[in-house]
Amino acid sequence: MDNCMCCSKYSYDLKTLVIFRNLLKDSVIEKLMLLLECVENSSATEVQLEKYADFVAELYKHNTNLTEYVLNKIFEDENVYVLSKSNKATESNLLLEDCISHELDILNSIATIKSQDIKNSIDYSKFLPNWDISSHNFKEEYLLRVKNISAFGYGIFAKYNMFIVENGEIVPIKYPDTTTLDQLIGYQRERKIVIDNTKALIDGKPASNILLYGDAGTGKSSTVKAVVNKFADKGLRIIQMQKKNIHDIPKIMDNLNKNPLKFIIFIDDLSFSSDDSDFSTLKAILEGNVSSRANNVVIYATSNRRHLVKESFSDREGDDIHFNDTVQELTSLSERFGISIKFMQPSKKDYLNIVHELAKANNIQMDINELDILAERFVISRNGRSPRSAKQFIMTLMCKPED
């Protein structure tokens, strides 16, 4: 009887949630509520068993630990309380403070329900699966995260670090690139510029938009993503978009303007034809003419060309009387980036150094002279020396069957 009354209390408490009301739509918590109500109402054993299995099956899809699951959902929830705390101009509201304190206590209690307590309320002696619980102080941990919200974020930005834009909406990348700076060899001077500018962004100091340009396969995109991975725990996020989504940038900037996190809008492999309307749009955005510049957002772009516009001789020799103005217009976009960094094709010495470091990292045992000969032979059929071709060469050695 005691267990049944306990379930009744939990069931009613969940229904009173206000700030965390979104959690009631969560599949696991929804099935937990149905189970608690079923036990509370002393439903038929068959129904109780069905609801018990439904809940555990849903929990197991995500986590076998109920406490950890509920706590993570709390951290990720975008609600009126966390939004008010992310806006430093908003004064503290005692009603919200009382409500959040009460609801965190409720959720803490529900997240530590023991599977055995539920099973004791069901008239069934055979096997039923268990779930784990753990010890956490929800109130203390949640309020600490809110206090440091500029590092942790909220909503989808609390769970994911990398995003793309689809149909004008920000969508998380569930399996992002995990490249780290330690895995990238060479180009230390170039990467330091990106790192230092990104640190300025994180520290709330003036930061520039960056154009990373140069030869293919030199690690421009990998540099941007590795920098994000390095500073993700400092509140840095990346939103990657295709050139066709450039018109969405002003709206995205407006949406991110009051977010406590820092963002890189990343456009990879950027180039335009001379009559491309997106050219003028991006130019206006970089100049700040479309909307006010968000202090927590920068634009990083990569390109294989310095001037971004595919310029033809007809562009130079057309009917435009003011020839110099035409050329300057075509080359002006790259000048709108505060920082431009060139990634050049490595020399033979630098290329072989990259090969040596990758071979060492992958425990490839080979005479260095033989390794160099094979590495040079490999790039003959490629587009020249680059970190990418060095990595591809090492992969061929790793995949080669042993004699």
Side-chain angles (χ1 to χ4, degrees), residues 149-184:
I149 199 168
S150 61
F152 292 112
Y154 57 81
I156 58 172
F157 298 117
K159 185 175 183 180
Y160 301 99
N161 300 329
M162 296 188 177
F163 305 82
I164 57 174
V165 174
E166 291 183 352
N167 300 319
E169 300 298 324
I170 298 172
V171 179
I173 300 175
K174 295 183 178 180
Y175 305 101
D177 190 323
T178 58
T179 301
T180 65
L181 289 171
D182 292 339
Q183 295 172 326
L184 302 178

PDB file of all heavy atoms in Angstrom, residues 149-184:
ATOM      1  N   ILE A 149      26.031  29.743 -17.600  1.00  0.00           N
ATOM      2  CA  ILE A 149      25.294  29.431 -18.826  1.00  0.00           C
ATOM      3  C   ILE A 149      26.060  29.823 -20.077  1.00  0.00           C
ATOM      4  O   ILE A 149      25.851  29.257 -21.156  1.00  0.00           O
ATOM      5  CB  ILE A 149      23.910  30.117 -18.793  1.00  0.00           C
ATOM      6  CG1 ILE A 149      22.981  29.447 -19.797  1.00  0.00           C
ATOM      7  CG2 ILE A 149      24.021  31.612 -19.021  1.00  0.00           C
ATOM      8  CD1 ILE A 149      21.538  29.841 -19.647  1.00  0.00           C
ATOM      9  N   SER A 150      26.982  30.769 -19.973  1.00  0.00           N
ATOM     10  CA  SER A 150      27.759  31.171 -21.147  1.00  0.00           C
ATOM     11  C   SER A 150      28.715  30.081 -21.600  1.00  0.00           C
ATOM     12  O   SER A 150      29.235  30.127 -22.720  1.00  0.00           O
ATOM     13  CB  SER A 150      28.555  32.451 -20.847  1.00  0.00           C
ATOM     14  OG  SER A 150      29.455  32.234 -19.781  1.00  0.00           O
ATOM     15  N   ALA A 151      28.966  29.084 -20.751  1.00  0.00           N
ATOM     16  CA  ALA A 151      29.800  27.939 -21.129  1.00  0.00           C
ATOM     17  C   ALA A 151      28.955  26.718 -21.479  1.00  0.00           C
ATOM     18  O   ALA A 151      29.304  25.953 -22.381  1.00  0.00           O
ATOM     19  CB  ALA A 151      30.768  27.585 -20.001  1.00  0.00           C
ATOM     20  N   PHE A 152      27.834  26.537 -20.779  1.00  0.00           N
ATOM     21  CA  PHE A 152      27.019  25.338 -20.968  1.00  0.00           C
ATOM     22  C   PHE A 152      25.908  25.517 -22.006  1.00  0.00           C
ATOM     23  O   PHE A 152      25.570  24.583 -22.716  1.00  0.00           O
ATOM     24  CB  PHE A 152      26.390  24.911 -19.629  1.00  0.00           C
ATOM     25  CG  PHE A 152      27.383  24.408 -18.635  1.00  0.00           C
ATOM     26  CD1 PHE A 152      27.661  25.122 -17.475  1.00  0.00           C
ATOM     27  CD2 PHE A 152      28.047  23.220 -18.844  1.00  0.00           C
ATOM     28  CE1 PHE A 152      28.581  24.661 -16.545  1.00  0.00           C
ATOM     29  CE2 PHE A 152      28.961  22.735 -17.922  1.00  0.00           C
ATOM     30  CZ  PHE A 152      29.231  23.458 -16.768  1.00  0.00           C
ATOM     31  N   GLY A 153      25.311  26.698 -22.073  1.00  0.00           N
ATOM     32  CA  GLY A 153      24.208  26.921 -22.982  1.00  0.00           C
ATOM     33  C   GLY A 153      22.927  26.264 -22.513  1.00  0.00           C
ATOM     34  O   GLY A 153      22.844  25.729 -21.410  1.00  0.00           O
ATOM     35  N   TYR A 154      21.918  26.296 -23.362  1.00  0.00           N
ATOM     36  CA  TYR A 154      20.625  25.687 -23.041  1.00  0.00           C
ATOM     37  C   TYR A 154      19.995  25.186 -24.337  1.00  0.00           C
ATOM     38  O   TYR A 154      20.447  25.493 -25.443  1.00  0.00           O
ATOM     39  CB  TYR A 154      19.693  26.678 -22.348  1.00  0.00           C
ATOM     40  CG  TYR A 154      19.427  27.945 -23.127  1.00  0.00           C
ATOM     41  CD1 TYR A 154      18.485  27.978 -24.146  1.00  0.00           C
ATOM     42  CD2 TYR A 154      20.133  29.107 -22.847  1.00  0.00           C
ATOM     43  CE1 TYR A 154      18.245  29.125 -24.861  1.00  0.00           C
ATOM     44  CE2 TYR A 154      19.894  30.273 -23.565  1.00  0.00           C
ATOM     45  CZ  TYR A 154      18.951  30.269 -24.571  1.00  0.00           C
ATOM     46  OH  TYR A 154      18.726  31.412 -25.283  1.00  0.00           O
ATOM     47  N   GLY A 155      18.917  24.419 -24.204  1.00  0.00           N
ATOM     48  CA  GLY A 155      18.242  23.873 -25.372  1.00  0.00           C
ATOM     49  C   GLY A 155      19.147  22.941 -26.166  1.00  0.00           C
ATOM     50  O   GLY A 155      19.993  22.245 -25.599  1.00  0.00           O
ATOM     51  N   ILE A 156      19.014  22.951 -27.482  1.00  0.00           N
ATOM     52  CA  ILE A 156      19.830  22.065 -28.313  1.00  0.00           C
ATOM     53  C   ILE A 156      21.308  22.414 -28.219  1.00  0.00           C
ATOM     54  O   ILE A 156      22.174  21.559 -28.443  1.00  0.00           O
ATOM     55  CB  ILE A 156      19.387  22.097 -29.786  1.00  0.00           C
ATOM     56  CG1 ILE A 156      19.469  23.526 -30.358  1.00  0.00           C
ATOM     57  CG2 ILE A 156      17.989  21.527 -29.948  1.00  0.00           C
ATOM     58  CD1 ILE A 156      19.220  23.583 -31.864  1.00  0.00           C
ATOM     59  N   PHE A 157      21.612  23.662 -27.857  1.00  0.00           N
ATOM     60  CA  PHE A 157      23.006  24.080 -27.772  1.00  0.00           C
ATOM     61  C   PHE A 157      23.692  23.538 -26.519  1.00  0.00           C
ATOM     62  O   PHE A 157      24.916  23.620 -26.392  1.00  0.00           O
ATOM     63  CB  PHE A 157      23.106  25.609 -27.803  1.00  0.00           C
ATOM     64  CG  PHE A 157      22.576  26.203 -29.073  1.00  0.00           C
ATOM     65  CD1 PHE A 157      21.472  27.048 -29.056  1.00  0.00           C
ATOM     66  CD2 PHE A 157      23.156  25.913 -30.289  1.00  0.00           C
ATOM     67  CE1 PHE A 157      20.977  27.598 -30.224  1.00  0.00           C
ATOM     68  CE2 PHE A 157      22.670  26.456 -31.479  1.00  0.00           C
ATOM     69  CZ  PHE A 157      21.576  27.298 -31.438  1.00  0.00           C
ATOM     70  N   ALA A 158      22.909  23.017 -25.580  1.00  0.00           N
ATOM     71  CA  ALA A 158      23.503  22.385 -24.400  1.00  0.00           C
ATOM     72  C   ALA A 158      23.919  20.955 -24.690  1.00  0.00           C
ATOM     73  O   ALA A 158      24.801  20.414 -24.036  1.00  0.00           O
ATOM     74  CB  ALA A 158      22.509  22.406 -23.235  1.00  0.00           C
ATOM     75  N   LYS A 159      23.287  20.355 -25.689  1.00  0.00           N
ATOM     76  CA  LYS A 159      23.542  18.942 -25.998  1.00  0.00           C
ATOM     77  C   LYS A 159      24.525  18.760 -27.146  1.00  0.00           C
ATOM     78  O   LYS A 159      25.304  17.817 -27.162  1.00  0.00           O
ATOM     79  CB  LYS A 159      22.228  18.248 -26.340  1.00  0.00           C
ATOM     80  CG  LYS A 159      22.349  16.746 -26.558  1.00  0.00           C
ATOM     81  CD  LYS A 159      20.996  16.107 -26.774  1.00  0.00           C
ATOM     82  CE  LYS A 159      21.115  14.588 -26.920  1.00  0.00           C
ATOM     83  NZ  LYS A 159      19.790  13.948 -27.132  1.00  0.00           N
ATOM     84  N   TYR A 160      24.493  19.665 -28.114  1.00  0.00           N
ATOM     85  CA  TYR A 160      25.322  19.522 -29.316  1.00  0.00           C
ATOM     86  C   TYR A 160      26.232  20.730 -29.484  1.00  0.00           C
ATOM     87  O   TYR A 160      25.936  21.822 -29.014  1.00  0.00           O
ATOM     88  CB  TYR A 160      24.434  19.372 -30.554  1.00  0.00           C
ATOM     89  CG  TYR A 160      23.498  18.189 -30.504  1.00  0.00           C
ATOM     90  CD1 TYR A 160      22.158  18.348 -30.134  1.00  0.00           C
ATOM     91  CD2 TYR A 160      23.940  16.909 -30.838  1.00  0.00           C
ATOM     92  CE1 TYR A 160      21.287  17.265 -30.095  1.00  0.00           C
ATOM     93  CE2 TYR A 160      23.082  15.820 -30.796  1.00  0.00           C
ATOM     94  CZ  TYR A 160      21.759  16.002 -30.425  1.00  0.00           C
ATOM     95  OH  TYR A 160      20.907  14.931 -30.375  1.00  0.00           O
ATOM     96  N   ASN A 161      27.357  20.496 -30.212  1.00  0.00           N
ATOM     97  CA  ASN A 161      28.314  21.564 -30.465  1.00  0.00           C
ATOM     98  C   ASN A 161      28.310  22.030 -31.916  1.00  0.00           C
ATOM     99  O   ASN A 161      28.693  23.154 -32.213  1.00  0.00           O
ATOM    100  CB  ASN A 161      29.735  21.108 -30.113  1.00  0.00           C
ATOM    101  CG  ASN A 161      29.878  20.707 -28.665  1.00  0.00           C
ATOM    102  OD1 ASN A 161      29.203  21.249 -27.798  1.00  0.00           O
ATOM    103  ND2 ASN A 161      30.753  19.752 -28.390  1.00  0.00           N
ATOM    104  N   MET A 162      27.912  21.134 -32.822  1.00  0.00           N
ATOM    105  CA  MET A 162      27.980  21.441 -34.247  1.00  0.00           C
ATOM    106  C   MET A 162      26.587  21.332 -34.866  1.00  0.00           C
ATOM    107  O   MET A 162      25.833  20.408 -34.547  1.00  0.00           O
ATOM    108  CB  MET A 162      28.955  20.507 -34.962  1.00  0.00           C
ATOM    109  CG  MET A 162      30.392  20.664 -34.489  1.00  0.00           C
ATOM    110  SD  MET A 162      31.562  19.725 -35.498  1.00  0.00           S
ATOM    111  CE  MET A 162      33.124  20.207 -34.730  1.00  0.00           C
ATOM    112  N   PHE A 163      26.294  22.264 -35.785  1.00  0.00           N
ATOM    113  CA  PHE A 163      24.966  22.353 -36.365  1.00  0.00           C
ATOM    114  C   PHE A 163      25.060  22.658 -37.854  1.00  0.00           C
ATOM    115  O   PHE A 163      26.081  23.132 -38.342  1.00  0.00           O
ATOM    116  CB  PHE A 163      24.154  23.455 -35.671  1.00  0.00           C
ATOM    117  CG  PHE A 163      24.067  23.302 -34.179  1.00  0.00           C
ATOM    118  CD1 PHE A 163      25.098  23.739 -33.347  1.00  0.00           C
ATOM    119  CD2 PHE A 163      22.968  22.703 -33.597  1.00  0.00           C
ATOM    120  CE1 PHE A 163      25.030  23.585 -31.976  1.00  0.00           C
ATOM    121  CE2 PHE A 163      22.888  22.547 -32.221  1.00  0.00           C
ATOM    122  CZ  PHE A 163      23.923  22.984 -31.415  1.00  0.00           C
ATOM    123  N   ILE A 164      23.957  22.378 -38.561  1.00  0.00           N
ATOM    124  CA  ILE A 164      23.821  22.780 -39.950  1.00  0.00           C
ATOM    125  C   ILE A 164      22.507  23.560 -40.089  1.00  0.00           C
ATOM    126  O   ILE A 164      21.702  23.585 -39.156  1.00  0.00           O
ATOM    127  CB  ILE A 164      23.816  21.570 -40.911  1.00  0.00           C
ATOM    128  CG1 ILE A 164      22.687  20.593 -40.543  1.00  0.00           C
ATOM    129  CG2 ILE A 164      25.159  20.882 -40.912  1.00  0.00           C
ATOM    130  CD1 ILE A 164      22.532  19.447 -41.529  1.00  0.00           C
ATOM    131  N   VAL A 165      22.328  24.182 -41.231  1.00  0.00           N
ATOM    132  CA  VAL A 165      21.087  24.917 -41.501  1.00  0.00           C
ATOM    133  C   VAL A 165      20.296  24.161 -42.560  1.00  0.00           C
ATOM    134  O   VAL A 165      20.810  23.874 -43.652  1.00  0.00           O
ATOM    135  CB  VAL A 165      21.376  26.347 -41.982  1.00  0.00           C
ATOM    136  CG1 VAL A 165      20.089  27.051 -42.390  1.00  0.00           C
ATOM    137  CG2 VAL A 165      22.076  27.138 -40.885  1.00  0.00           C
ATOM    138  N   GLU A 166      19.065  23.803 -42.222  1.00  0.00           N
ATOM    139  CA  GLU A 166      18.168  23.133 -43.161  1.00  0.00           C
ATOM    140  C   GLU A 166      16.837  23.881 -43.186  1.00  0.00           C
ATOM    141  O   GLU A 166      16.217  24.066 -42.139  1.00  0.00           O
ATOM    142  CB  GLU A 166      17.928  21.677 -42.750  1.00  0.00           C
ATOM    143  CG  GLU A 166      19.162  20.777 -42.899  1.00  0.00           C
ATOM    144  CD  GLU A 166      18.863  19.340 -42.556  1.00  0.00           C
ATOM    145  OE1 GLU A 166      17.745  19.064 -42.056  1.00  0.00           O
ATOM    146  OE2 GLU A 166      19.738  18.470 -42.784  1.00  0.00           O
ATOM    147  N   ASN A 167      16.444  24.313 -44.371  1.00  0.00           N
ATOM    148  CA  ASN A 167      15.183  25.054 -44.531  1.00  0.00           C
ATOM    149  C   ASN A 167      15.104  26.249 -43.583  1.00  0.00           C
ATOM    150  O   ASN A 167      14.048  26.541 -43.009  1.00  0.00           O
ATOM    151  CB  ASN A 167      13.989  24.123 -44.305  1.00  0.00           C
ATOM    152  CG  ASN A 167      13.956  22.967 -45.283  1.00  0.00           C
ATOM    153  OD1 ASN A 167      14.231  23.146 -46.470  1.00  0.00           O
ATOM    154  ND2 ASN A 167      13.635  21.775 -44.794  1.00  0.00           N
ATOM    155  N   GLY A 168      16.219  26.902 -43.404  1.00  0.00           N
ATOM    156  CA  GLY A 168      16.262  28.096 -42.581  1.00  0.00           C
ATOM    157  C   GLY A 168      16.326  27.837 -41.089  1.00  0.00           C
ATOM    158  O   GLY A 168      16.368  28.779 -40.300  1.00  0.00           O
ATOM    159  N   GLU A 169      16.350  26.560 -40.677  1.00  0.00           N
ATOM    160  CA  GLU A 169      16.368  26.210 -39.261  1.00  0.00           C
ATOM    161  C   GLU A 169      17.713  25.598 -38.871  1.00  0.00           C
ATOM    162  O   GLU A 169      18.363  24.919 -39.669  1.00  0.00           O
ATOM    163  CB  GLU A 169      15.248  25.218 -38.944  1.00  0.00           C
ATOM    164  CG  GLU A 169      13.845  25.740 -39.239  1.00  0.00           C
ATOM    165  CD  GLU A 169      13.487  26.961 -38.404  1.00  0.00           C
ATOM    166  OE1 GLU A 169      13.913  27.019 -37.233  1.00  0.00           O
ATOM    167  OE2 GLU A 169      12.769  27.846 -38.914  1.00  0.00           O
ATOM    168  N   ILE A 170      18.114  25.838 -37.623  1.00  0.00           N
ATOM    169  CA  ILE A 170      19.360  25.283 -37.096  1.00  0.00           C
ATOM    170  C   ILE A 170      19.096  23.861 -36.611  1.00  0.00           C
ATOM    171  O   ILE A 170      18.243  23.635 -35.757  1.00  0.00           O
ATOM    172  CB  ILE A 170      19.902  26.162 -35.954  1.00  0.00           C
ATOM    173  CG1 ILE A 170      20.215  27.564 -36.470  1.00  0.00           C
ATOM    174  CG2 ILE A 170      21.148  25.534 -35.340  1.00  0.00           C
ATOM    175  CD1 ILE A 170      20.575  28.555 -35.379  1.00  0.00           C
ATOM    176  N   VAL A 171      19.842  22.913 -37.163  1.00  0.00           N
ATOM    177  CA  VAL A 171      19.645  21.489 -36.860  1.00  0.00           C
ATOM    178  C   VAL A 171      20.953  20.904 -36.341  1.00  0.00           C
ATOM    179  O   VAL A 171      22.014  21.121 -36.943  1.00  0.00           O
ATOM    180  CB  VAL A 171      19.193  20.719 -38.115  1.00  0.00           C
ATOM    181  CG1 VAL A 171      19.010  19.239 -37.802  1.00  0.00           C
ATOM    182  CG2 VAL A 171      17.913  21.317 -38.680  1.00  0.00           C
ATOM    183  N   PRO A 172      20.930  20.162 -35.231  1.00  0.00           N
ATOM    184  CA  PRO A 172      22.176  19.607 -34.690  1.00  0.00           C
ATOM    185  C   PRO A 172      22.758  18.493 -35.556  1.00  0.00           C
ATOM    186  O   PRO A 172      22.026  17.743 -36.207  1.00  0.00           O
ATOM    187  CB  PRO A 172      21.748  19.064 -33.317  1.00  0.00           C
ATOM    188  CG  PRO A 172      20.284  18.807 -33.444  1.00  0.00           C
ATOM    189  CD  PRO A 172      19.762  19.857 -34.375  1.00  0.00           C
ATOM    190  N   ILE A 173      24.075  18.402 -35.561  1.00  0.00           N
ATOM    191  CA  ILE A 173      24.780  17.283 -36.186  1.00  0.00           C
ATOM    192  C   ILE A 173      25.029  16.251 -35.091  1.00  0.00           C
ATOM    193  O   ILE A 173      25.804  16.491 -34.163  1.00  0.00           O
ATOM    194  CB  ILE A 173      26.117  17.734 -36.799  1.00  0.00           C
ATOM    195  CG1 ILE A 173      25.874  18.801 -37.881  1.00  0.00           C
ATOM    196  CG2 ILE A 173      26.875  16.544 -37.391  1.00  0.00           C
ATOM    197  CD1 ILE A 173      27.142  19.391 -38.459  1.00  0.00           C
ATOM    198  N   LYS A 174      24.376  15.112 -35.182  1.00  0.00           N
ATOM    199  CA  LYS A 174      24.434  14.124 -34.108  1.00  0.00           C
ATOM    200  C   LYS A 174      25.763  13.382 -34.076  1.00  0.00           C
ATOM    201  O   LYS A 174      26.172  12.878 -33.031  1.00  0.00           O
ATOM    202  CB  LYS A 174      23.265  13.149 -34.234  1.00  0.00           C
ATOM    203  CG  LYS A 174      21.908  13.811 -34.025  1.00  0.00           C
ATOM    204  CD  LYS A 174      20.775  12.814 -34.071  1.00  0.00           C
ATOM    205  CE  LYS A 174      19.436  13.495 -33.823  1.00  0.00           C
ATOM    206  NZ  LYS A 174      18.297  12.542 -33.868  1.00  0.00           N
ATOM    207  N   TYR A 175      26.421  13.277 -35.222  1.00  0.00           N
ATOM    208  CA  TYR A 175      27.711  12.593 -35.282  1.00  0.00           C
ATOM    209  C   TYR A 175      28.733  13.540 -35.930  1.00  0.00           C
ATOM    210  O   TYR A 175      29.089  13.406 -37.093  1.00  0.00           O
ATOM    211  CB  TYR A 175      27.595  11.286 -36.063  1.00  0.00           C
ATOM    212  CG  TYR A 175      26.521  10.371 -35.507  1.00  0.00           C
ATOM    213  CD1 TYR A 175      25.264  10.281 -36.107  1.00  0.00           C
ATOM    214  CD2 TYR A 175      26.754   9.624 -34.348  1.00  0.00           C
ATOM    215  CE1 TYR A 175      24.278   9.464 -35.580  1.00  0.00           C
ATOM    216  CE2 TYR A 175      25.777   8.813 -33.817  1.00  0.00           C
ATOM    217  CZ  TYR A 175      24.536   8.728 -34.440  1.00  0.00           C
ATOM    218  OH  TYR A 175      23.553   7.924 -33.910  1.00  0.00           O
ATOM    219  N   PRO A 176      29.214  14.516 -35.155  1.00  0.00           N
ATOM    220  CA  PRO A 176      30.060  15.574 -35.713  1.00  0.00           C
ATOM    221  C   PRO A 176      31.505  15.131 -35.937  1.00  0.00           C
ATOM    222  O   PRO A 176      31.947  14.081 -35.457  1.00  0.00           O
ATOM    223  CB  PRO A 176      29.997  16.651 -34.622  1.00  0.00           C
ATOM    224  CG  PRO A 176      29.839  15.873 -33.353  1.00  0.00           C
ATOM    225  CD  PRO A 176      28.959  14.705 -33.713  1.00  0.00           C
ATOM    226  N   ASP A 177      32.227  15.960 -36.667  1.00  0.00           N
ATOM    227  CA  ASP A 177      33.666  15.775 -36.867  1.00  0.00           C
ATOM    228  C   ASP A 177      34.368  15.938 -35.524  1.00  0.00           C
ATOM    229  O   ASP A 177      34.151  16.915 -34.812  1.00  0.00           O
ATOM    230  CB  ASP A 177      34.167  16.837 -37.858  1.00  0.00           C
ATOM    231  CG  ASP A 177      35.593  16.590 -38.319  1.00  0.00           C
ATOM    232  OD1 ASP A 177      36.420  16.148 -37.499  1.00  0.00           O
ATOM    233  OD2 ASP A 177      35.886  16.855 -39.507  1.00  0.00           O
ATOM    234  N   THR A 178      35.205  14.978 -35.163  1.00  0.00           N
ATOM    235  CA  THR A 178      35.872  15.000 -33.853  1.00  0.00           C
ATOM    236  C   THR A 178      37.353  15.375 -33.956  1.00  0.00           C
ATOM    237  O   THR A 178      38.116  15.148 -33.018  1.00  0.00           O
ATOM    238  CB  THR A 178      35.738  13.636 -33.160  1.00  0.00           C
ATOM    239  OG1 THR A 178      36.298  12.608 -34.006  1.00  0.00           O
ATOM    240  CG2 THR A 178      34.277  13.320 -32.875  1.00  0.00           C
ATOM    241  N   THR A 179      37.770  15.923 -35.085  1.00  0.00           N
ATOM    242  CA  THR A 179      39.169  16.296 -35.279  1.00  0.00           C
ATOM    243  C   THR A 179      39.642  17.254 -34.182  1.00  0.00           C
ATOM    244  O   THR A 179      38.932  18.187 -33.811  1.00  0.00           O
ATOM    245  CB  THR A 179      39.354  16.969 -36.649  1.00  0.00           C
ATOM    246  OG1 THR A 179      38.937  16.079 -37.685  1.00  0.00           O
ATOM    247  CG2 THR A 179      40.821  17.344 -36.865  1.00  0.00           C
ATOM    248  N   THR A 180      40.827  17.002 -33.683  1.00  0.00           N
ATOM    249  CA  THR A 180      41.422  17.888 -32.681  1.00  0.00           C
ATOM    250  C   THR A 180      42.643  18.593 -33.261  1.00  0.00           C
ATOM    251  O   THR A 180      43.220  18.139 -34.265  1.00  0.00           O
ATOM    252  CB  THR A 180      41.848  17.102 -31.428  1.00  0.00           C
ATOM    253  OG1 THR A 180      42.905  16.187 -31.781  1.00  0.00           O
ATOM    254  CG2 THR A 180      40.673  16.312 -30.858  1.00  0.00           C
ATOM    255  N   LEU A 181      43.044  19.675 -32.646  1.00  0.00           N
ATOM    256  CA  LEU A 181      44.216  20.415 -33.123  1.00  0.00           C
ATOM    257  C   LEU A 181      45.475  19.568 -33.045  1.00  0.00           C
ATOM    258  O   LEU A 181      46.385  19.711 -33.871  1.00  0.00           O
ATOM    259  CB  LEU A 181      44.383  21.697 -32.306  1.00  0.00           C
ATOM    260  CG  LEU A 181      43.341  22.792 -32.570  1.00  0.00           C
ATOM    261  CD1 LEU A 181      43.474  23.910 -31.549  1.00  0.00           C
ATOM    262  CD2 LEU A 181      43.482  23.341 -33.989  1.00  0.00           C
ATOM    263  N   ASP A 182      45.556  18.678 -32.064  1.00  0.00           N
ATOM    264  CA  ASP A 182      46.723  17.820 -31.918  1.00  0.00           C
ATOM    265  C   ASP A 182      46.890  16.871 -33.102  1.00  0.00           C
ATOM    266  O   ASP A 182      48.006  16.400 -33.375  1.00  0.00           O
ATOM    267  CB  ASP A 182      46.631  17.003 -30.626  1.00  0.00           C
ATOM    268  CG  ASP A 182      46.742  17.870 -29.374  1.00  0.00           C
ATOM    269  OD1 ASP A 182      47.281  18.991 -29.496  1.00  0.00           O
ATOM    270  OD2 ASP A 182      46.293  17.438 -28.306  1.00  0.00           O
ATOM    271  N   GLN A 183      45.797  16.573 -33.776  1.00  0.00           N
ATOM    272  CA  GLN A 183      45.850  15.663 -34.918  1.00  0.00           C
ATOM    273  C   GLN A 183      46.276  16.354 -36.203  1.00  0.00           C
ATOM    274  O   GLN A 183      46.572  15.689 -37.192  1.00  0.00           O
ATOM    275  CB  GLN A 183      44.477  15.005 -35.121  1.00  0.00           C
ATOM    276  CG  GLN A 183      44.052  14.093 -33.975  1.00  0.00           C
ATOM    277  CD  GLN A 183      42.613  13.619 -34.120  1.00  0.00           C
ATOM    278  OE1 GLN A 183      41.751  14.351 -34.614  1.00  0.00           O
ATOM    279  NE2 GLN A 183      42.349  12.395 -33.702  1.00  0.00           N
ATOM    280  N   LEU A 184      46.298  17.676 -36.205  1.00  0.00           N
ATOM    281  CA  LEU A 184      46.659  18.435 -37.397  1.00  0.00           C
ATOM    282  C   LEU A 184      48.135  18.797 -37.349  1.00  0.00           C
ATOM    283  O   LEU A 184      48.615  19.357 -36.369  1.00  0.00           O
ATOM    284  CB  LEU A 184      45.803  19.693 -37.497  1.00  0.00           C
ATOM    285  CG  LEU A 184      44.281  19.459 -37.537  1.00  0.00           C
ATOM    286  CD1 LEU A 184      43.548  20.792 -37.598  1.00  0.00           C
ATOM    287  CD2 LEU A 184      43.890  18.587 -38.724  1.00  0.00           C
TER     288      LEU A 184
END
